[in-house]
Structures are given as structure tokens and as C-alpha cells.
């Protein structure tokens, strides 16, 4: 029998150790930009909360032991010479740990317990296990000893300030083993399903199956594909709470939500190899569509936010999605998508158009997804060219769906509306050299050095050739050795870590690359793809990247970055294989 490969090694300081379906991870990252000395069990139910601190211990002194942490998709290991502690996921809510030559402290991360916060700790005689119950997550964490010995627990039933937890040890030549479960109110006493080695093998096999499905094309020419797949696989959670379907969070660091445009890139990356999961990603925000047709800004376990929206890229995304799925959507699915996109489009055409206006507006930069882009410096309630372009693409997709569903009159109506939006875009916002933004209130216009002003390139084949060519020339000016800077590096407003005021972002890269390719600018599209792929292969899958150094910024394990790498790598592979400039995604 061939052993299952262990998968790529990675640093838990950058990428949390987790497993498909789990709502918790093992990581030193316990809050935004906050790194603890020890690895923690970090739950993402009711927000992000470091619940348990996992401390390797010198068995002779009982003091914290200096260890090296190593991680691969199936196994996390603390080592100190020949001594080691190992951790693997047995199920999405249960991890198994075993050790030899080192003890382990499993301690409440919060030392203070109040009537409304902190972690209570006690021994449960029914399960013969020790239980931490967390106010922050609203869940329990049960530790069951399988072999070895527990020292006297600290802080059992203690109130107020106290150290709480257990220490597990074994004889000098022996091993110990425990299980830690995240559970609701109660369940039967824990019983192991398999020996530890089999648990590790099963975890490795689960990831291997996933990466073989979503990146069967990977090779030495795509060296980051397996790690990209792990970032996506490990950030996937089971349907729970307000997450109505299996969902890919943006990260199991602090960006632990599904935002209503990020999900599109994950859906596209999963479409060919994991089509059902891809469908779930596309539909998840639509499960929370409100009465006006608006999508929420974000969805997570216990919270759905509607204070902002995100841009209507969903028609563009579904067009690519249904062409990539191995089995085309049937009539029932097409009807559901059509109705959801119709309502979403109606929101922009009604709630977001001023009386008598042709074009819709954003109420804040957050609505665009480019939160603080310099386009929004003069005002925030703004008519922008990117919004009109995305809406026109969505209208074209609605027309295509209507034709396929036999709704000929509606297809004509959507096509005419798309043409009206695009005509207004060119008549009202195009200067002959670039697009301007316009105040929704006063009608004043302005330009900026933001890449956002060039995003109408996403219209691709729908753009007049001279407009596409001019946009392509401006896009070239944003291209650094690492990719597309979101603000011109020569701009006085450029900031190396300025969020959308300079750094390279995955979604802008994919949308620009796709639009350039569809408008005939293959060579520039190839260059942008190659630079972004090289960036990820060197600097990982951060939320965004310093445009002049390539350094990863902010959250370092971002799924839409990983998915964008997978999209561009797969497309490059297929072009190489076919010897053509297609397909796009």
C-alpha cells in the first residue's frame, strides 16, 4: 500500500492548523494582529476566541518547554530533540493529542471568570472528563484522558481569577494521549474511533482527496497549488448557526467571515473539482438576501451584517461558474439563480439610483469592496464606473439565463437595460482618456490614481476597442514586479500598507486579467497572471501584498487569495496544454 503523502509544510504563524468542516483551529493568532506565545485552540463560533492554551511542558521541571512547531495538513507537532507532542483532527470537532518526553498543559486562555465572560472549568463525573465551558463561544471543550496520567487539575469549579486546566504526563519511557472536543451542551462519553496513527492517516487522506480534486493539473510549474488548496480546505466550516451551508471563511484568523463578493472567487476555484461546495459558496450570501433584493455585507456563525453591501460581480461570477462546472446546472438551479440575480439587480436599479439618474451609486467605499480607495476621497456617495460595468455584466448574464429559460421578453428587456447602462457609462463617465467618478448629490466629477477607476476593463468584449486599449495602457502603469498596485506607486496618496491605497489584491487581479483577456489584450493578461502567481509562490496567500516588495500584509491565510492563485494557475496550465490564449477561468 502506498503511504498517503503528508502534504506541504507550513508555518502556523501564517496559516492556522485546522481541518475541513471544523469551527476551530490551532494557532498562536488569537485576535487581529495578536500573536500569543503558545498555540491556542481558537474557536470561530460567536466570533473569534482563543479558548484553550496548549503549553508543552518539561516533565522534569513542570515548566514550559522550548519546542519547535511543525505543521503539515494532517499533523501538527511540537518537538524538543526526541521529545514530541502531536495533534491531529479525528473529526471536525475533535482533536487527538499524544506525547512522549513532554507533558502538556491544557489551560483556559482567560484567567478571569465573571458572570458574563471567561471560561468555567470542572470535572464531569458522567463522562469522566474535564470540561471548559466558554461564555464567549457558548460552547464546551471536553478533555478526555486516553492514556498517561493527569496531574491534579488547577482551578476546578473556581470563580473569579484563577488558573484553570489540566496537565497530562507519562512515564519517562511511555506516551500519553488525550482527546479534546468542541461540543454544545452534552454528548455521550468520548470513545476513540481509531488508533492515533490511523487518525493522522485519515486526515492526510482527506486533504489529499481534496487537492487531487481541485488541482489535478498541479505540477512543478505550480509549486504553491497544494498549499493554496490547504488554505481553502482548512478554512471550510460545516453549516452551523447563520452559515446555512458548508462555507469557506475568508480565513480562520480574524477575517473569519464570508463577505458578499469574496465568496465568488472561492466558488470559481472549487467549480471543477468540488462542484457542490462551489455551488454552496455562490449561494450562501443569497440565503440572506433581504426584501429589497440586497445581499448582506457579510455572514458568519452568529452575525449577518447589512450596513453595507458589496459590488454586483455575481452575474460575472455565475457566468464563469456554470461554464466550469463539470455538470451544467439544471433548469431548477438556473431558475433559482435567475430569481436571485434578478432581485439583486433590481436593488441596484431602484434603491441605488437617484431619481432620474441612469447609473447607480455606492453609499461608501465599503460597498465597492475597495473600502478606502482614493476614488472615495472627495465624497463617499458616488457614481463610479466599476459599479456600472459590473451591473452591465450582470444584466447580460440575466439576459442569457432568461433566453435559456425560455423567457424571451425578459431576455430582450435585460439586454436593453445592459446597453442603456453601458451607454450611460461611456457618455457620462468616460472622458476619452479615463473614467471619472461623480458625486451622486452634486454631480461634481473627479479622477484619482486608483486602479478602481480602470475596473470597467472587466466588461471585456463589450467595450469599444479604443476604450479597452486606453484602459490597458493605464493598467500597465499600475504593474509592479509583483502585480497590480491598487494605487499608482507615484501617487502622493500611495501607502505600502494602505489597504486599497497601494497593495496588490487578488480579486482586482482576477477581474482585470479576465477583462483584458476577453478584450483581446492577451499578452498583458499573461503578464499579470504570471506576476501574481509568482507573488503567491514566494510570499504566500496574504490578504494583500506590498506592491513594491511583495511582502504579505494583514491576514496571512486568506482564501480568496489562495483561490485566485488556483484559478490563474489552472487557466495557465490549460492554455499551455492547448497552446491557446483560452480559457479565461
Amino acid at each position: 500500500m502506498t503511504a498517503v503523502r503528508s502534504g506541504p509544510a507550513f508555518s502556523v504563524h501564517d496559516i492556522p492548523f485546522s481541518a475541513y468542516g471544523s469551527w476551530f483551529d490551532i494557532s498562536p493568532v488569537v485576535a487581529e494582529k495578536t500573536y500569543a506565545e503558545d498555540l491556542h485552540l481558537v474557536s470561530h463560533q460567536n466570533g473569534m476566541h482563543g479558548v484553550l492554551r496548549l503549553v508543552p511542558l518539561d516533565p522534569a521541571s513542570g515548566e514550559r518547554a522550548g519546542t519547535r512547531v511543525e505543521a503539515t495538513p494532517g499533523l501538527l507537532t511540537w518537538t524538543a530533540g526526541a521529545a514530541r507532542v502531536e495533534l491531529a483532527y479525528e473529526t471536525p470537532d475533535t482533536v487527538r493529542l499524544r506525547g512522549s518526553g513532554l507533558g502538556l498543559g491544557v489551560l483556559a486562555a482567560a484567567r478571569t471568570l465573571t458572570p458574563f465572560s471567561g471560561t468555567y472549568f470542572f470535572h464531569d463525573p458522567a463522562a469522566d472528563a474535564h470540561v471548559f465551558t466558554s461564555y464567549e463561544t457558548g460552547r464546551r471543550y471536553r478533555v478526555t484522558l486516553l492514556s498517561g496520567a493527569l496531574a491534579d487539575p488547577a482551578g476546578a469549579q473556581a470563580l473569579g481569577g484563577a488558573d484553570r486546566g489540566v496537565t497530562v504526563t507519562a512515564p519517562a519511557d511511555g506516551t500519553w494521549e488525550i482527546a479534546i472536543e468542541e461540543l454544545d451542551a452534552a454528548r455521550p462519553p468520548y470513545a476513540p474511533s481509531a488508533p492515533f496513527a490511523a487518525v493522522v492517516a485519515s486526515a492526510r487522506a482527506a486533504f489529499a482527496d481534496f487537492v487531487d480534486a481541485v488541482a489535478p493539473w498541479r505540477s512543478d510549474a505550480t509549486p504553491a497549488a497544494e498549499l493554496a488548496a490547504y488554505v481553502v480546505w482548512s478554512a471550510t466550516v460545516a453549516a452551523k448557526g447563520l452559515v446555512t451551508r458548508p462555507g469557506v471563511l475568508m480565513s480562520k484568523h480574524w477575517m473569519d467571515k464570508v463577505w458578499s463578493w469574496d465568496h465568488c472567487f472561492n466558488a470559481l476555484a472549487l467549480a471543477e473539482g468540488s462542484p457542490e461546495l462551489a455551488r454552496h459558496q455562490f449561494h450562501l450570501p443569497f440565503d440572506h438576501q433581504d426584501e429589497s433584493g440586497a445581499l448582506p455585507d457579510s455572514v458568519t456563525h452568529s452575525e449577518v451584517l447589512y450596513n453595507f453591501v458589496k459590488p454586483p460581480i455575481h452575474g460575472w461570477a455565475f457566468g464563469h461558474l456554470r461554464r466550469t462546472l463539470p455538470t451544467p446546472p439544471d433548469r431548477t438551479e438556473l431558475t433559482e439563480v435567475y430569481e436571485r440575480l434578478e432581485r439583486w439587480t433590481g436593488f441596484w436599479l431602484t434603491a441605488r439610483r437617484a431619481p432620474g439618474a441612469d447609473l447607480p451609486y455606492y453609499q461608501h467605499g465599503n460597498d465597492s469592496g475597495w473600502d478606502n480607495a482614493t476614488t472615495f476621497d472627495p465624497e463617499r456617495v458616488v457614481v463610479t464606473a466599476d459599479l456600472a460595468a459590473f451591473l452591465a455584466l450582470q444584466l447580460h448574464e440575466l439576459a442569457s439565463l432568461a433566453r435559456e429559460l425560455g423567457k424571451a421578453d425578459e431576455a430582450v428587456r435585460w439586454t436593453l437595460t445592459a446597453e442603456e447602462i453601458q451607454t450611460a457609462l461611456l457618455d457620462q463617465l468616460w472622458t476619452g482618456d479615463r473614467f471619472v467618478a461623480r458625486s451622486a448629490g452634486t454631480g461634481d466629477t473627479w479622477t484619482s490614481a486608483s486602479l478602481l477607476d480602470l475596473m470597467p476593463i472587466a466588461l471585456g468584449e463589450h467595450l469599444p476597442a479604443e476604450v479597452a486599449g486606453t484602459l490597458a495602457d493605464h493598467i500597465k502603469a499600475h504593474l509592479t514586479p509583483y502585480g497590480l498596485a491598487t494605487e499608482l506607486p507615484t501617487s502622493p496618496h500611495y501607502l505600502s500598507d494602505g489597504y486599497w491605497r497601494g497593495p496588490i489584491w487578488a480579486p482586482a487581479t482576477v477581474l482585470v486579467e479576465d477583462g483584458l483577456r476577453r478584450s483581446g489584450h492577451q499578452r498583458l493578461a499573461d503578464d499579470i497572471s504570471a506576476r501574481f502567481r509568482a507573488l503567491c509562490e514566494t510570499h504566500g496567500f496574504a490578504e494583500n501584498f506590498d506592491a513594491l516588495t511583495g511582502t504579505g500584509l494583514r491576514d496571512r491565510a486568506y482564501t480568496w487569495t489562495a483561490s485566485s492563485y488556483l484559478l490563474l494557475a489552472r487557466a495557465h496550465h490549460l492554455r499551455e496544454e492547448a497552446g491557446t490564449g483560452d480559457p479565461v477561468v
Side-chain angles (χ1 to χ4, degrees), residues 352-487:
R352 289 297 183 89
R353 283 203 293 190
D358 298 310
L359 297 175
Y361 59 86
Y362 292 130
Q363 294 177 343
H364 187 279
N366 289 0
D367 283 343
S368 74
W370 294 52
D371 307 359
N372 66 334
T374 54
T375 300
F376 301 101
D377 279 0
E379 294 186 29
R380 261 60 64 196
V381 183
V382 179
V383 175
T384 65
D386 68 297
L387 173 53
F390 294 143
L391 188 58
L393 287 172
Q394 188 153 290
L395 287 159
H396 283 300
E397 182 61 21
L398 275 171
S400 176
L401 288 169
R403 285 191 293 272
E404 196 163 341
L405 292 169
K407 301 175 184 287
D409 290 345
E410 293 184 26
V412 170
R413 176 166 61 89
W414 294 127
T415 299
L416 289 174
T417 307
E419 291 172 354
E420 290 167 0
I421 292 290
Q422 185 167 324
T423 297
L425 166 66
L426 294 171
D427 287 349
Q428 299 175 25
L429 299 183
W430 179 248
T431 67
D433 179 63
R434 63 189 307 114
F435 285 103
V436 298
R438 191 181 71 222
S439 166
T442 67
D444 292 343
T445 62
W446 59 86
T447 61
S448 77
S450 175
L451 183 65
L452 183 63
D453 295 358
L454 308 178
M455 292 306 293
I457 193 64
L459 280 166
E461 70 277 14
H462 301 289
L463 279 174
E466 64 275 15
V467 175
T470 302
L471 290 176
D473 288 340
H474 286 307
I475 287 166
K476 289 176 188 175
H478 285 260
L479 195 56
T480 77
Y482 302 97
L484 290 170
T486 47
E487 179 81 3

Side-chain angles (χ1 to χ4, degrees), residues 70-344:
E70 300 171 334
T72 59
L75 185 66
L76 175 69
T77 308
W78 294 257
T79 60
R84 61 199 294 113
V85 174
E86 298 170 307
L87 182 151
Y89 275 81
E90 183 174 24
T91 67
D93 64 15
T94 303
V95 288
R96 290 267 289 276
L97 297 96
R98 72 174 179 182
S100 60
L102 289 171
L104 185 75
V106 182
L107 308 169
R111 194 174 185 279
T112 301
L113 176 66
T114 78
F116 304 104
S117 66
T119 302
Y120 175 59
F121 175 63
F122 62 96
H123 179 261
D124 181 9
D128 190 22
H130 289 82
V131 177
F132 300 83
T133 179
S134 167
Y135 276 99
E136 282 71 25
T137 69
R139 301 301 182 275
R140 298 165 186 247
Y141 302 83
R142 187 167 72 180
V143 181
T144 302
L145 180 69
L146 305 180
S147 65
L150 294 179
D152 289 339
Q157 301 186 47
L159 304 177
D163 293 321
R164 297 172 175 84
V166 297
T167 298
V168 57
T169 60
D173 57 350
T175 61
W176 56 261
E177 189 170 345
I178 59 173
I180 303 177
E181 305 163 89
E182 183 177 54
L183 55 105
D184 294 336
R187 65 172 57 160
Y190 172 81
S193 64
F196 187 87
V199 169
V200 175
S202 178
R204 286 174 171 164
F207 172 68
D209 289 346
F210 180 85
V211 71
D212 285 345
V214 302
W217 39 260
R218 66 195 187 280
S219 69
D220 290 345
T222 55
E226 287 202 5
L227 190 56
Y230 177 74
V231 170
V232 175
W233 179 81
S234 64
T236 303
V237 295
K240 199 166 188 177
L242 296 170
V243 176
T244 50
R245 308 160 179 265
V248 181
L249 304 179
M250 286 313 100
S251 174
K252 279 185 181 168
H253 287 325
W254 58 88
M255 300 295 281
D256 55 352
K257 296 185 177 186
V258 176
W259 276 269
S260 291
W261 69 314
D262 312 39
H263 68 109
C264 292
F265 301 92
N266 288 333
L268 291 174
L270 293 165
E272 184 178 48
S274 188
E276 285 310 301
L277 186 59
R279 286 179 162 97
H280 285 313
Q281 299 328 295
F282 181 80
H283 281 285
L284 200 159
F286 283 96
D287 291 346
H288 298 279
Q289 196 167 18
D290 76 5
E291 292 182 0
S292 74
L295 296 184
D297 184 43
S298 62
V299 179
T300 191
H301 175 269
S302 302
E303 179 183 79
V304 179
L305 300 181
Y306 291 93
N307 53 327
F308 295 107
V309 292
K310 285 293 175 279
I313 67 166
H314 303 82
W316 168 87
F318 187 73
H320 283 310
L321 182 65
R322 67 183 179 128
R323 290 189 290 272
T324 308
L325 290 167
T327 302
D330 61 19
R331 185 177 182 85
T332 300
E333 183 178 2
L334 290 179
T335 299
E336 180 182 30
V337 173
Y338 178 78
E339 291 172 350
R340 289 180 158 193
L341 286 178
E342 181 180 32
R343 294 179 60 218
W344 179 219

